[in-house]
Amino acid sequence: MTRLPDRTERQLGLVIDLDTCVGCHACVISCKGWNTENYGAPLSDQQPYGADPSGTFLNRVHSYEVTPLVESAMAQLVHFPKSCLHCEDAPCVTVCPTGASYKRVEDGIVLVNETDCIGCGLCAWACPYGARELDAAAGVMKKCTLCIDRIYNENLPEEDRLPACVRTCPAGARHFGDFSDPDSHVSRLTAERGGMDLMPEQGTKPVNKYLPPRPKDQLESQLGVLAPLLAPVAEDSRGFLGWLDRTLDKI
Amino acid sequence: MAHRQPQLDLSPPVSDEVRKTTCYMCACRCGINVHMKDGKVAYIEGNRDHPVNKGVLCAKGSAGIMQHNAPSRLRAPLKRVGPRGSGEFEEITWDEALQIATGWLAPIRKTNPEKLAFFTGRDQSQSFTSFWAQNFGTPNYAAHGGFCSVNMAAAGIYTMGGAFWEFGQPDWDHTKLFLLFGVAEDHDSNPIKMGIGKIKARGARIIGVNPIRTGYNAVADDWVGITPGTDGLFILALVHELMKAGKIDLDYLARYTNAPCLVIEAPGSDRHGLLLRDEAGKELVIDTATGDLAPFDAPGICPDLSGSFVLNGQTCRTVMHRMAETYLDPQFSADAVAERCGIPATKIRAVAAEIARIAFDEAVEIQQEWTDFRGERHATMKGRPVSFHAMRGISAHANGFQTCRALHVLQILLGTVEVPGGFRFKPPYPKPATAHPKPHAGMNPCAPLNGPHLGFVQGPEDLALKDDGTPARIDKAFTWENPMSAHGLMHMVISNAHAGDPYKIDTLFLYMANMSWNSSMNTGGVMKMLTDTDENGDYLIPRIIYSDAYSSEMVAYADLVLPDTTYLERHDCISLLDRPICEADTAADAIRWPVADPDRDVRGFQSVLCDLGARLGLPGFTNEDGSAKYADYADYMVNHERRKGIGPLAGWRAGDAADAPEGSGRGESRPDQLQRYIDNGGFWIKHVPEPARYYKPWNSAYQDWAVETGFYDSPSPYLFQLYVEPLRRFQLAAEGHGDRQPPDRLRARIKAAMDPLPIWQDTDQTGNDGFTVHALTQRPMAMYHSWGTQNAWLRQIHGHNPLYVPTKLMREHGLTDGDWARVTSPHGAITVPVMEMAALNDNTVWTWNAIGKRKGAWALETDAPEATRGFLLNHLIHELLPERGDGQRWANSDPITGQAAWFDLKVRLEKTTAPAESQPAFAPMRSPVGTGPETLAWKTAR
Amino acid sequence: MHPAPSVILFTTCSGLGFGLLVWLGIGFPAVTGRVAFVFFAIAYLLAAGGLIASTFHLGRPERALKAFTQWHTSWLSREAWCAVAALTLMALYGAGLVFLGTAWPVVGLAGALASLATVFTTSMIYTQLKTVPRWHTVLTPLLFLAISVSGGALMAGQTGLAPWLLLLAGIVQVAVWLRGDGAFDASGTTLASATGLGEIGTVRAFESPHTGTNYLLREFVHVIGRKHARKLRMISLTLMTVLPVILLLLPFGHVLAALAVLSHLAGVAVSRWLFFAEAEHVVGLYYGKR
Ligand SMILES: Nc1nc2c(c(=O)[nH]1)N[C@H]1C(S)=C(S)[C@@H](COP(=O)(O)OP(=O)(O)OC[C@H]3O[C@@H](n4cnc5c(=O)[nH]c(N)nc54)[C@H](O)[C@@H]3O)O[C@H]1N2
Ligand SMILES: Nc1nc2c(c(=O)[nH]1)N[C@H]1C(S)=C(S)[C@@H](COP(=O)(O)OP(=O)(O)OC[C@H]3O[C@@H](n4cnc5c(=O)[nH]c(N)nc54)[C@H](O)[C@@H]3O)O[C@H]1N2
Ligand code: SF4
Ligand code: SF4
Ligand code: SF4
Ligand code: SF4
Ligand code: SF4
Ligand SMILES: [Mo]
């Protein structure tokens, strides 16, 4: 049902740490594997061994080069995973003509009920983040489910009741939790590290937050403070050996 | 209005069964949970209990399901029917295949076993394959280490009894500053990522030294975009600045390293530059308490770092003294190296100062008592929380051995190896070079080789030379050209065999190495060598047997193909005798077991070797009555013994009490051993006891534990070798001392290169005039060499590769994204698409490794982007350096270890019009397995 | 956006068809019997044909009926209802004209309004999308309505009003283009806001997540050259407005009228092609494309 709930009981989502993501694509493939086998239609691939391979993925990792405005500073590279942000004001839901797209009232997860979806693609048009992909084989819209079939799944050990991408991320750059709880791990990370919204001007109020990269290449500018640490004890090997003797005597 | 939404089953069944085994998508060997539905592989995730990955899994590991289902899997043994390289085969039975192989190999063994060259590429069962080769009796065996990272391994083992690579890891829990040199991905893929995540979460800092700022280097807090090949200089500049400031750990140096050992100064004598030793061969130091000489390990002594001693008229000064003289020279100052390294001197000093700050102002201390090998008790474990890690970026250069040595020397000067916060060994390391075997090449018809093939030479007497001084091995390992080639030189086998130099061989037997493509330098040349014929029309390399699991480029060049199973269909052994999977706090080994049944006529290669070994009557594979000793590899894994009570698997050996799950690691084999591994999740671990966790080489608790676990037969503490005496022994030979003498043409090179203290030399630039741009490759994290390409999921991520060009060079050559450039080296040319990158050393171009594919390979359509737009740099790299008019072709490798110098490549760029496809393009090979399906929607249970 | 032929066909034809129904509904031309049948047949062919064409781009056309359920939130759902209402009312009205020779003005008016509403709801499907700044403007419904009504007038043979309406449509079209060219920049969505990395410096898309293509790139990223677009705009304007107006000003003849209609139809099709092809979805930013 395409009307958004007035409020959701919880706000489950992800924090993605751009300072830590090494761009390994582990989350991409783990997501592909889990969601091919589980919720709804498998994520299909066209021309998987051919000239123009292309398939459905619910999570993709981009990379961006950032050139600081200060000319002397060096360019940086930021790996940037992106999946559905489970927006509070999800435009993908309200455009859906069939009610297939909906936002769950319990936890705010935005889902597609695949048996209702006609594959019109409108929700993907409405999503600014490119978080929805129409599966070419199944003809229905696929999107991140926040691994709804994992997070409450009593057939999984409790520690595994979290999204596949979070469980697999080798660098620990992905965190899952409830943003409506200010004390949750994700809320605290967001507060401490200045977690941000993507495209805030689109008014979607994303639940997922991104932690910005920490400032880089600061060392040289600290040389003033660091320099005394390199105060010479000797200028050449003779001086050094003298220093060595003096120092060793003291030990 | 009430909110209506569908009712979901929030607890759907996940799978019928979880089978726990070990990943094979790279050499990291993580534990995996394979979820099975209806008897099929449904989903793969990381095993949380596993010591390596603790639950996480990389992209390749998660994509294992697509590897297992790949249409490129071979289906049955193949006999070549068309010309080599064409890909024309007929499928034959295993009986026929094994008969052919036996027919080829048995006569060789009877007459001249060296006519077999058995090289095993990316082998995870080297202790087994080498055992087989040893039993066959050929001296010609090695795996791929020689072209991979032998510089790293050898430099580490000669210097400190272990290296980065798989031998050790930073103390992720305590380190405060982590410096990473030349790493894109590494073998320790998941642990490094986990470690980086861990230290980031703690707010510790990372410095990345790499010409390219991607991956780990992209998340580094500071980036040092060094000019390739100059790390040695940079590191020695750090050493210079730190020594000058007195920021070195004198206590550590005196106690645990050979810094206080005495170097004999007797110019002209055959002892000049050797270490002073007592009759028992132990290094002597001056005891500060008495001023007398004492063996380094004498109880209670306190070695003097700065003294000198005159003995029999020969002055002996400490290694520390030597180092001061060498490294305080202004040639190593930050200012002197800055330009060559492409790093401002201020930055070099800032890095040195930060290292000093963390090491000396932020030292850590663990409240844990321990006793050292001299019997001294220490109330705590102190550590300097600066840690280092490095890989092929510094080792795959022709000056890599000494550069890796320099990095170890830097760590050791800081006192940060095997201490809290520093670099830690993983059992069975530490293990010094002297505790490793020496190379063996003693061969007799119909008999096993006289010992293990590979090892660590201590001097010229250990070289693998025949009586006439010619190389005993086809790859010329352990010769004057590369005396310390501890891993062999697989990359020279094909060209040497083709040239009949040092001798001709009959059968080349390869296992999982794509030598006709991404694994070789000079790819086009290698393809030609494999197909060249003599005047009779016979192939110059008469016979090639190859085992692969997939339709790789190399398959096309084999005469006989032995198809392997996939990793989910066979037994395998990740053994402590091999490249182990231990972590710093645990000894561990693991198995693979058939979690799925093969649906084709394929067999695990190791089982095939057991069978072939029995057919050939190899002693290690036959019972007294001539019957096969091992039914298959699983049987070998359980019942083979290397030494009494030591077998391939250390877990659950008989003699261990049932209530001691960790066991001793030693004891008789037990029939239910594999089931116990399976019940335990596919692996076995044994924890290093608390008091033994650090200072392992000198910690008596660790030494005792290592003996109990079977790593050594008696405690073997040792000193770190800042000064590596074996190198000096080779120099002495080059100076004319001793009976074994190098050829004259190599004397100068040996003298210069084999300095017992790390030095930096520019790599050989012969023939590089006009080629000024460095060209590198990097491992993509989501691809494994050539074999990720057959994976439907992974190939969408890396289906073709551009050449990344720094902004400055893009402008200079008028290039924009999507343009094509012709890239030339002294050896060849490629034409490829380019893309701009700013976060890149100004004079370096690079691309992802092994994305380019030959048409027809891997069951891909011939117009696959890997073949039409993808490319390899390998066409530009030659295994030999350009001619330099001395009548010799010098190898493109490290003069000490023979390590292939992939990253010494220099090129020139020019813009060109886009060709129809990237160049060079080769004729398609016929796929022996057809091509894959049009669409894929893999779901086991619908 | 990818200019999908089915969607171009749908909006072009159904717009014209509903435009004609609007005129028919209010009694221009006041036809009955056979003539009415022909007019209505053409209108239904265009309107319903367009609607059917639109189902071609559905992944699951067999479930198309489900699209009626969400009228309270979804413009697409509302469009479905309006279309059905318009087609039903006008069918009733048309049946009266054709078979009974009687006009039920209330039904006709209601049908005309529903037809207008259909065109409006169609346009709102695009207008509502903040993600496509070029569409996110009141000019979009204006354009759709103007084209529909003017085309309808042309079809309905309203030679008096049609030129003026066509001119109006032309003006709106030009306004749409002029505004559209600056819309993306004015939207404030940039690669910097998309990544949140703008604070650090200039952001540039480096490696794409996949070397191959994907649904998003196929659907949302369509790059056309500026020059090419300008040429197409001229063609579109000429065919859609200028030529039909000139033809209408010439002495009336069936051939000329048919030519005017065809020209207009072709012009609208080009305009629609541009409507999609020139529209830039913000998601392209993530791929370094617009
Ligand atoms: N330009 C450039 N070239 C390089 C390097 C570089 O940095 N730059 N790096 C070099 C290095 S370090 C290495 S290690 C090599 C690696 O290069 P290769 O050793 O060629 O590695 P792979 O491509 O992994 O190929 C190994 C072969 O093993 C096969 N295989 C996979 N699984 C199995 C199995 O289960 N059983 C059997 N029997 N076969 C299997 C694959 O199909 C493949 O044909 O590349 C080298 N080449
Ligand atoms: N995903 C994945 N993992 C793998 C593999 C794979 O194919 N895919 N292959 C495995 C194998 S066989 C190996 S050997 C390991 C290798 O693991 P790595 O050592 O990480 O190997 P490379 O990708 O060759 O990375 C070399 C790095 O060194 C940098 N470099 C090159 N020259 C210099 C230099 O002069 N100085 C410095 N400081 N840096 C330099 C390059 O920019 C690059 O980042 O990875 C293993 N792990
Ligand atoms: S990210 Fe896109 S798909 Fe997800 S809720 Fe927001 S708008 Fe909808
Ligand atoms: S594609 Fe499916 S989920 Fe998306 S708007 Fe259309 S019907 Fe709704
Ligand atoms: S939460 Fe689940 S569905 Fe969403 S990106 Fe992660 S793995 Fe994919
Ligand atoms: S798995 Fe983690 S580190 Fe790897 S790309 Fe995804 S978020 Fe980044
Ligand atoms: S790092 Fe990845 S590919 Fe390698 S063993 Fe681990 S999971 Fe498998
Ligand atoms: Mo390697």
Side-chain angles (χ1 to χ4, degrees), chain B residues 25-28 58 60 122 144 147-149 152 165 180-189 192-193 208-214 216-217 224-232 234 389-397 399 403 579 774-786 840 844 846 848-850 902-904:
Chain B
M25 302 282 287
C26 88
C28 188
C58 82
K60 297 160 284 146
R122 310 205 33 68
H144 75 292
F147 61 72
C148 182
S149 208
M152 182 54 70
W165 206 342
L180 186 65
F181 284 72
V183 180
E185 170 69 348
D186 205 340
H187 292 282
D188 222 6
S189 320
I192 288 185
K193 294 182 187 80
V209 183
N210 200 309
I212 310 165
R213 195 176 204 179
T214 54
Y216 308 153
N217 297 287
V224 179
I226 196 163
T227 296
T230 65
D231 298 73
F234 172 62
H389 187 84
M391 252 313 270
R392 291 183 66 254
I394 63 170
S395 60
H397 291 280
N399 58 15
T403 300
R579 298 170 66 180
H774 299 267
L776 303 176
T777 54
Q778 294 203 100
R779 307 282 189 271
M781 290 181 186
M783 253 305 155
Y784 199 58
H785 297 290
S786 56
L840 174 59
T844 300
W846 71 279
W848 295 120
N849 189 41
W902 301 96
F903 296 155
D904 284 352

Side-chain angles (χ1 to χ4, degrees), chain A residues 19 36-38 40 45 47-50 55 65 75 106 153-155 159-160 167-168 217 220 233-234 245, chain B residues 3 5 11-12 37 46 48 55 57 200 213 220-221 223 244 306 346 795-796 838 861 934 936 938-940:
Chain A
D19 193 61
T36 289
E37 187 58 28
N38 293 285
D45 303 288
Q47 293 192 43
Y49 305 100
E65 199 170 64
E106 300 91 325
N153 196 329
E154 280 161 17
N155 295 314
E159 56 180 356
D160 280 347
R167 187 193 187 285
T168 213
D217 303 318
E220 234 177 313
V233 295
D245 283 334
Chain B
H3 192 80
Q5 59 186 33
S11 286
K37 266 189 209 165
R48 283 191 186 271
L57 207 63
K200 284 251 169 199
R213 195 176 204 179
D221 298 277
W223 175 52
K244 207 162 92 177
S306 72
T346 48
R795 75 182 284 260
Q796 293 183 52
E861 307 282 344
E934 269 300 300
L936 190 64
W938 185 264
K939 190 163 191 155
T940 54

Side-chain angles (χ1 to χ4, degrees), chain B residues 112-163:
Chain B
N112 189 358
E114 74 183 11
K115 293 272 173 200
L116 167 68
F118 180 38
F119 283 78
T120 67
R122 310 205 33 68
D123 184 358
Q124 295 186 12
S125 55
Q126 289 174 37
S127 73
F128 169 76
T129 52
S130 63
F131 178 73
W132 192 93
Q134 211 179 309
N135 267 277
F136 186 91
T138 177
N140 294 321
Y141 165 86
H144 75 292
F147 61 72
C148 182
S149 208
V150 63
N151 271 341
M152 182 54 70
I157 285 174
Y158 277 109
T159 308
M160 53 182 202

Side-chain angles (χ1 to χ4, degrees), chain B residues 776-852:
Chain B
L776 303 176
T777 54
Q778 294 203 100
R779 307 282 189 271
M781 290 181 186
M783 253 305 155
Y784 199 58
H785 297 290
S786 56
W787 91 52
T789 285
Q790 63 200 321
N791 191 300
W793 294 348
L794 299 180
R795 75 182 284 260
Q796 293 183 52
I797 299 176
H798 292 288
H800 50 85
N801 51 318
L803 185 76
Y804 292 102
V805 178
T807 306
K808 183 171 150 257
L809 292 179
M810 289 292 280
R811 300 291 173 277
E812 267 176 37
H813 295 281
L815 291 162
T816 51
D817 284 0
D819 283 348
W820 288 64
R822 194 176 136 84
V823 185
T824 341
S825 76
H827 173 66
I830 56 176
T831 304
V832 300
V834 299
M835 197 170 190
E836 180 176 339
M837 180 176 187
L840 174 59
N841 174 287
D842 264 354
N843 201 31
T844 300
V845 297
W846 71 279
T847 191
W848 295 120
N849 189 41
I851 301 298

Side-chain angles (χ1 to χ4, degrees), chain A residues 1 3-6 17-57 60 65 67 74-79 102-106 111 113 137 148-156 159-162 164 167-172 193 214-220 222-223 226-238 240-241 243-245 247-248 251, chain B residues 1-6 8 10-14 33 37 42-43 45-46 48 55-59 62-63 66 69-71 190 193-194 196-198 200-201 203 205 207 213-216 218-223 241-248 250-251 304-306 320-321 324-325 328 344 346-347 349-354 356-357 361 781-782 790-798 836-839 859-861 863-865 932-942:
Chain A
M1 122 130 183
R3 186 162 286 163
L4 290 165
D6 300 330
D17 185 349
L18 297 180
D19 193 61
T20 302
C21 171
V22 296
C24 69
H25 295 263
C27 50
V28 174
I29 300 295
S30 159
C31 171
K32 175 98 174 172
W34 176 261
N35 288 291
T36 289
E37 187 58 28
N38 293 285
Y39 187 96
L43 305 175
S44 71
D45 303 288
Q46 283 62 46
Q47 293 192 43
Y49 305 100
D52 193 13
S54 159
T56 310
F57 286 79
R60 296 183 185 258
E65 199 170 64
T67 313
M74 290 177 296
Q76 300 172 21
L77 201 81
V78 181
H79 303 288
Y102 65 104
K103 188 169 176 73
R104 281 165 49 88
V105 75
E106 300 91 325
L111 276 186
N113 174 1
I148 186 129
D149 46 2
R150 291 183 62 92
I151 58 178
Y152 303 111
N153 196 329
E154 280 161 17
N155 295 314
L156 285 172
E159 56 180 356
D160 280 347
R161 291 180 206 157
L162 77 185
R167 187 193 187 285
T168 213
C169 174
R193 299 267 311 278
R214 296 181 169 103
K216 299 267 189 293
D217 303 318
Q218 308 285 300
L219 210 50
E220 234 177 313
Q222 290 159 18
L223 190 56
L226 290 171
L229 286 154
L230 292 185
V233 295
E235 284 305 331
D236 56 13
S237 65
R238 271 176 103 211
F240 178 81
L241 291 165
W243 168 81
L244 202 57
D245 283 334
T247 318
L248 290 173
I251 298 183
Chain B
M1 192 170 133
H3 192 80
R4 277 184 304 140
Q5 59 186 33
L8 291 180
L10 295 177
S11 286
V14 172
N33 300 343
K37 266 189 209 165
Y43 178 65
E45 66 186 357
R48 283 191 186 271
V56 309
L57 207 63
C58 82
S62 295
M66 284 295 124
N69 301 325
N190 278 332
K193 294 182 187 80
M194 290 153 72
I196 286 177
K198 224 176 198 178
K200 284 251 169 199
R205 296 166 58 82
I207 299 178
R213 195 176 204 179
T214 54
Y216 308 153
V219 300
D221 298 277
D222 282 270
W223 175 52
E241 299 294 338
L242 288 164
M243 279 181 80
K244 207 162 92 177
K247 296 293 191 213
I248 57 176
L250 298 178
D251 188 50
D304 182 359
L305 273 182
S306 72
M320 194 69 236
H321 193 124
E325 274 175 352
L328 288 172
T346 48
K347 182 138 190 170
R349 274 195 289 270
V351 172
E354 177 71 357
R357 185 177 75 81
D361 295 357
M781 290 181 186
Q790 63 200 321
N791 191 300
W793 294 348
L794 299 180
R795 75 182 284 260
Q796 293 183 52
I797 299 176
H798 292 288
E836 180 176 339
M837 180 176 187
L860 300 183
E861 307 282 344
D863 54 359
E934 269 300 300
T935 59
L936 190 64
W938 185 264
K939 190 163 191 155
T940 54
R942 303 267 171 132

